[in-house]
Amino acid sequence: MDFEKMKSIWQRFMTDGVLDAAGMQPIVVKSWQECRSLGVNPYSSGGTPVDKDVFHQVLDRSNTLLQVARPVMQSVYRIIQATHFLLALTDGDGIVLDTIGDEAILQRSENILFRRGSIWSNAGVGSNAPGIALEYDVPIQMNGAEHYCQSQHSWTCSAAPIHDTNGKIIGCLDVSGPVEAAHPHTLALVISSAFSIERMLKDYHRMALMQSRVSGNQAIYTFDDIMAADPVMKQAVARARQYAAYDGSVLIEGESGTGKELFAQAIHTGSSRAKGPFVAVNCASLPRDLIESELFGYEKGAFTGALKNGNPGKFELADHGTLFLDEIGEMPMEFQAKLLRAVENLRIRRIGGRDEKKLDVRVIAATNRDLEKQVRSGAFRGDLYYRLNVLQLHIPPLRKRPDDIAFCAKLFLNRFNQRYADRRKSFTEAALQSLQCYSWPGNVRELQNVVERAFYTSEGTTIGPSDFPVVQEAAADAGTSVNSVSMQELDDAGKNHCLAVLQAARGNVLQAAKSIGVSQATFYRLCKTYGITPKLIRRQCL
């Protein structure tokens, strides 16, 4: 449309409210009407600068976009340099992140505050190319009086939105210059350049994902790997599948050996984050003095011994994926406040860093402790507990799902039969019945340990009750046969079994724990649960 005719249409709309839309771009018409309903001043001078601290946060949040887009912008500028046009990049909110241009065009853009750190949204400065591209997700060229505000009538602007790997608008590329130099080919150049940036963003994230996988930050288990025959366990699996469809924090509760990380990985691989990293952190194994640097990372020179280029923490490594905080109940109280803020806001600041980083992370935590009881006793922060416990998943112990005992034992035996095809073995009915009569303090992990040991040590092609000495000893110590133990008696049998194992190890907790396939910390907790004092056993064995 002729520039003068467009100017007269603009003048009439601003003075009389009458809009002659014939020949105008429909999206511009729509935007004008919305600006008028919002009360945008058509005679305003230009963009609005944001606070410096806010802009630093915006730059940090858009760091990847800037890294990828700058080489493209430099290439485009070499093409348009002789035309005295300005190249600009905004974030998804219309905040100008960077500009490239000669001194004359940069000075001219200052007159309308089109510079780094200013907001160029339709609601703020009226209909403009970057604003419409971001709001309506369309590439557009606007010339002269097509702009809602008069201060922009001497400009031609071509803008195209930039999307991330999930299709979300994260920014906009704009080329602006004197309206007299307007040319439709400029928009084609901008669209092509925005597409190049999107393609490079995909390559960037693909490389980051590959690097994460090389580092071992990858989930390997899915819901198909969770084998269950017992209705109680099947219900837990169904609940976990339901949780996989959402991004809320999950707290997985269950005794050691029940498969909490297996569930965490399955939730990740069953979610929209499946292609992202899965970063597992054992909170109990983190040295107290290094917890902050391990989780949040550090900048170069942050402390003596720091890597010269700094190091990302577990939160950063889990960006666009899942962070699994195992044994969260072991997290020191003094660090829980910092963890709460990170989980709540999904923002972290490296040690020695100035700016916060905005992350896209789902948090799954797991514990074998009663966190609610710890909250009541003051050993765990209530606010952190409620932030983590948005979606609660309880994995029942093996003794509470008897249908899974023989079922899982057969699965484990089948794996060994496949591995050693020339030495295949089978369970007798009595063997399976004996497994049902044991309390399994080490849960599925202990069951796997017992089956594996029986496969290696049993003679012939069948495995009988005598090939499970741990089970036999527990039944004998309880004063019952393996055929007569009821589910109500299993806890007593478990206590007697722990006591027998500890006595056999002459009070050595580490040795006792290894013999039933659980960690030393888990065995200590079992002793506490059953009222057993290892020190007394050691003294008795001297």
Coordinates of all heavy atoms in Angstrom, one line a residue, residues 287-313 349-353:
P287 N 29.5 -35.4 50.1 CA 30.2 -34.8 51.2 C 29.6 -33.5 51.7 O 29.2 -32.7 50.8 CB 31.7 -34.6 50.7 CG 31.8 -35.5 49.5 CD 30.4 -35.6 48.9
R288 N 29.4 -33.3 52.9 CA 28.7 -32.2 53.4 C 29.2 -30.9 52.9 O 28.5 -30.0 52.5 CB 28.7 -32.2 55.0 CG 27.9 -31.1 55.6 CD 28.0 -31.2 57.2 NE 27.4 -32.4 57.6 CZ 26.1 -32.5 58.1 NH1 25.4 -31.4 58.2 NH2 25.6 -33.6 58.5
D289 N 30.6 -30.8 52.8 CA 31.2 -29.5 52.3 C 31.1 -29.3 50.8 O 31.3 -28.2 50.3 CB 32.7 -29.5 52.7 CG 32.9 -29.5 54.2 OD1 32.0 -29.1 54.9 OD2 34.0 -29.9 54.7
L290 N 30.7 -30.3 50.1 CA 30.6 -30.2 48.6 C 29.2 -30.3 48.1 O 29.0 -30.3 46.8 CB 31.5 -31.3 48.0 CG 33.0 -31.3 48.3 CD1 33.7 -32.5 47.6 CD2 33.6 -30.0 47.9
I291 N 28.2 -30.3 48.9 CA 26.8 -30.5 48.5 C 26.4 -29.3 47.5 O 25.9 -29.6 46.4 CB 25.9 -30.5 49.7 CG1 26.0 -31.8 50.4 CG2 24.4 -30.4 49.2 CD1 25.2 -32.0 51.7
E292 N 26.7 -28.1 47.9 CA 26.3 -26.9 47.1 C 27.0 -27.0 45.7 O 26.3 -26.7 44.7 CB 26.6 -25.6 47.8 CG 26.0 -24.4 47.2 CD 26.1 -23.2 48.0 OE1 26.7 -23.2 49.1 OE2 25.7 -22.1 47.5
S293 N 28.3 -27.2 45.7 CA 29.0 -27.2 44.4 C 28.5 -28.4 43.5 O 28.5 -28.3 42.3 CB 30.5 -27.2 44.6 OG 30.9 -28.4 45.3
E294 N 28.2 -29.5 44.1 CA 27.8 -30.7 43.4 C 26.4 -30.4 42.8 O 26.2 -30.8 41.6 CB 27.7 -31.9 44.3 CG 29.0 -32.5 44.6 CD 29.6 -33.2 43.4 OE1 28.9 -33.9 42.6 OE2 30.8 -33.0 43.1
L295 N 25.5 -29.8 43.5 CA 24.2 -29.6 43.0 C 24.0 -28.3 42.1 O 23.3 -28.3 41.1 CB 23.2 -29.5 44.1 CG 22.9 -30.8 44.9 CD1 21.9 -30.5 46.0 CD2 22.4 -31.9 44.0
F296 N 24.7 -27.3 42.5 CA 24.6 -26.0 41.8 C 25.7 -25.6 40.9 O 25.6 -24.7 40.1 CB 24.3 -24.8 42.8 CG 23.1 -25.0 43.7 CD1 23.0 -24.5 44.9 CD2 22.0 -25.8 43.2 CE1 21.9 -24.7 45.7 CE2 20.9 -26.0 44.0 CZ 20.8 -25.4 45.2
G297 N 26.9 -26.3 41.0 CA 28.0 -26.0 40.2 C 28.8 -24.8 40.7 O 28.4 -24.1 41.7
Y298 N 29.9 -24.4 40.0 CA 30.7 -23.2 40.4 C 31.3 -22.6 39.2 O 31.5 -23.2 38.2 CB 31.7 -23.7 41.4 CG 32.6 -24.8 41.0 CD1 33.8 -24.5 40.2 CD2 32.4 -26.1 41.3 CE1 34.6 -25.5 39.8 CE2 33.2 -27.1 40.9 CZ 34.3 -26.8 40.1 OH 35.2 -27.8 39.7
E299 N 31.6 -21.3 39.4 CA 32.3 -20.6 38.3 C 33.8 -20.7 38.5 O 34.3 -21.2 39.5 CB 32.0 -19.1 38.4 CG 30.5 -18.8 38.1 CD 30.1 -19.0 36.7 OE1 30.9 -19.4 35.9 OE2 28.9 -18.9 36.4
K300 N 34.6 -20.4 37.4 CA 36.0 -20.5 37.5 C 36.6 -19.6 38.6 O 36.1 -18.5 38.9 CB 36.7 -20.1 36.2 CG 36.4 -18.7 35.7 CD 37.1 -18.4 34.4 CE 36.8 -17.0 33.9 NZ 37.4 -16.8 32.6
G301 N 37.5 -20.2 39.4 CA 38.2 -19.5 40.5 C 37.3 -19.3 41.7 O 37.6 -18.5 42.6
A302 N 36.2 -20.1 41.8 CA 35.3 -19.9 42.9 C 35.9 -20.3 44.2 O 35.6 -19.8 45.3 CB 34.0 -20.7 42.7
F303 N 36.8 -21.3 44.2 CA 37.5 -21.8 45.4 C 38.8 -22.5 45.0 O 39.0 -22.9 43.8 CB 36.6 -22.6 46.2 CG 36.0 -23.8 45.5 CD1 36.7 -25.0 45.2 CD2 34.7 -23.7 45.0 CE1 36.1 -26.0 44.6 CE2 34.1 -24.7 44.3 CZ 34.8 -25.9 44.1
T304 N 39.7 -22.7 45.9 CA 40.9 -23.4 45.7 C 40.6 -24.8 45.2 O 39.8 -25.6 45.8 CB 41.8 -23.5 46.9 OG1 42.0 -22.1 47.4 CG2 43.1 -24.2 46.6
G305 N 41.2 -25.2 44.1 CA 41.0 -26.6 43.5 C 39.9 -26.6 42.5 O 39.6 -27.7 41.9
A306 N 39.2 -25.5 42.3 CA 38.1 -25.5 41.3 C 38.7 -25.6 39.9 O 39.8 -25.1 39.6 CB 37.3 -24.2 41.4
L307 N 37.9 -26.3 39.0 CA 38.4 -26.4 37.6 C 38.5 -25.0 37.0 O 37.7 -24.1 37.3 CB 37.4 -27.2 36.8 CG 37.3 -28.7 37.2 CD1 36.2 -29.4 36.4 CD2 38.6 -29.4 37.1
K308 N 39.4 -24.8 36.1 CA 39.7 -23.4 35.6 C 38.6 -22.9 34.8 O 38.4 -21.6 34.7 CB 41.0 -23.4 34.8 CG 40.9 -24.3 33.5 CD 42.2 -24.2 32.7 CE 42.2 -25.0 31.4 NZ 43.4 -24.9 30.6
N309 N 37.7 -23.7 34.2 CA 36.6 -23.2 33.4 C 35.3 -23.3 34.2 O 34.2 -23.1 33.6 CB 36.4 -24.0 32.1 CG 37.6 -23.8 31.2 OD1 38.1 -22.7 31.1 ND2 38.1 -24.8 30.5
G310 N 35.3 -23.6 35.5 CA 34.1 -23.8 36.3 C 33.5 -25.2 36.0 O 34.1 -26.0 35.2
N311 N 32.4 -25.5 36.6 CA 31.8 -26.8 36.4 C 30.3 -26.7 36.7 O 29.8 -26.1 37.7 CB 32.4 -27.8 37.4 CG 32.1 -29.2 37.0 OD1 32.3 -29.6 35.9 ND2 31.6 -30.0 38.0
P312 N 29.4 -27.2 35.8 CA 28.0 -27.2 36.0 C 27.6 -28.2 37.1 O 28.3 -29.2 37.3 CB 27.4 -27.7 34.7 CG 28.5 -28.5 34.1 CD 29.8 -27.9 34.5
G313 N 26.6 -27.9 37.9 CA 26.1 -28.8 38.9 C 25.0 -29.7 38.3 O 24.7 -29.7 37.2
R349 N 22.1 -20.5 41.2 CA 23.3 -19.6 41.0 C 24.5 -20.4 41.4 O 24.6 -20.9 42.5 CB 23.2 -18.3 41.9 CG 24.4 -17.4 41.7 CD 24.3 -16.2 42.6 NE 23.3 -15.2 42.2 CZ 22.2 -15.0 42.9 NH1 22.0 -15.7 44.0 NH2 21.4 -14.1 42.5
R350 N 25.4 -20.5 40.5 CA 26.7 -21.2 40.7 C 27.4 -20.5 41.9 O 27.3 -19.3 42.1 CB 27.5 -21.3 39.5 CG 27.0 -22.2 38.4 CD 28.1 -22.3 37.3 NE 27.7 -23.1 36.2 CZ 28.5 -23.4 35.1 NH1 29.7 -22.9 35.1 NH2 28.0 -24.2 34.2
I351 N 28.2 -21.3 42.6 CA 29.1 -20.7 43.6 C 30.1 -19.8 42.8 O 30.7 -20.2 41.8 CB 29.9 -21.8 44.3 CG1 29.0 -22.7 45.1 CG2 31.0 -21.2 45.2 CD1 29.7 -23.8 45.8
G352 N 30.2 -18.6 43.3 CA 31.0 -17.6 42.7 C 30.4 -16.9 41.5 O 31.0 -16.0 40.8
G353 N 29.1 -17.2 41.2 CA 28.4 -16.7 40.0 C 27.7 -15.4 40.4 O 27.3 -15.3 41.6

